[in-house]
Amino acid sequence: MKKKVFYGFGILVVCFMIFMMGHKLFSGNQQVQASGGVTVYKNITIEEGDTLWSIAKTYGENYTGSTRSYVNTLLEINNLSSDEVQAGESLIIPIHTGAQ
């Protein structure tokens, strides 16, 4: 009987942890303290005509690296294998707000 309760509690804890990780990953904006400011992670929806390069130029103006570096960051954060995106897709973008 104790084993069943122990296993049931373990499964409950694991489910709760998975729920919390998913909630953190998919819930709107996330903030990370960065040297010299704050980086906010925002979900956007790709619009017709958008490219990773145009998104990098729009949202990466306060980014410390080059546009190419920001595109590489977008590729890594979103687990993309190429810089081609389709309208309607969701993308996580970092927005560095500068010194606070």
Side-chain angles (χ1 to χ4, degrees), residues 54-89:
S54 66
I55 292 167
K57 289 177 184 174
T58 300
Y59 292 100
E61 66 183 35
N62 290 330
Y63 188 70
T64 56
S66 65
T67 302
R68 162 50 84 188
S69 177
Y70 191 82
V71 168
N72 287 337
T73 299
L74 293 175
L75 289 167
E76 183 179 335
I77 290 172
N78 293 283
N79 198 28
L80 300 173
S81 56
S82 79
D83 61 357
E84 295 181 18
V85 291
Q86 302 293 319
E89 290 180 335

Side-chain angles (χ1 to χ4, degrees), residues 1-14:
M1 179 68 176
K2 285 186 178 183
K3 275 188 173 181
K4 281 186 176 181
V5 171
F6 180 74
Y7 288 127
F9 181 72
I11 290 172
L12 181 65
V13 169
V14 169

Side-chain angles (χ1 to χ4, degrees), residues 27-49:
S27 65
N29 298 343
Q30 303 289 322
Q31 289 188 1
V32 175
Q33 192 71 28
S35 61
V38 173
T39 300
V40 177
Y41 289 88
K42 179 179 179 179
N43 289 318
I44 64 165
T45 301
I46 305 296
E47 309 246 340
E48 190 68 39

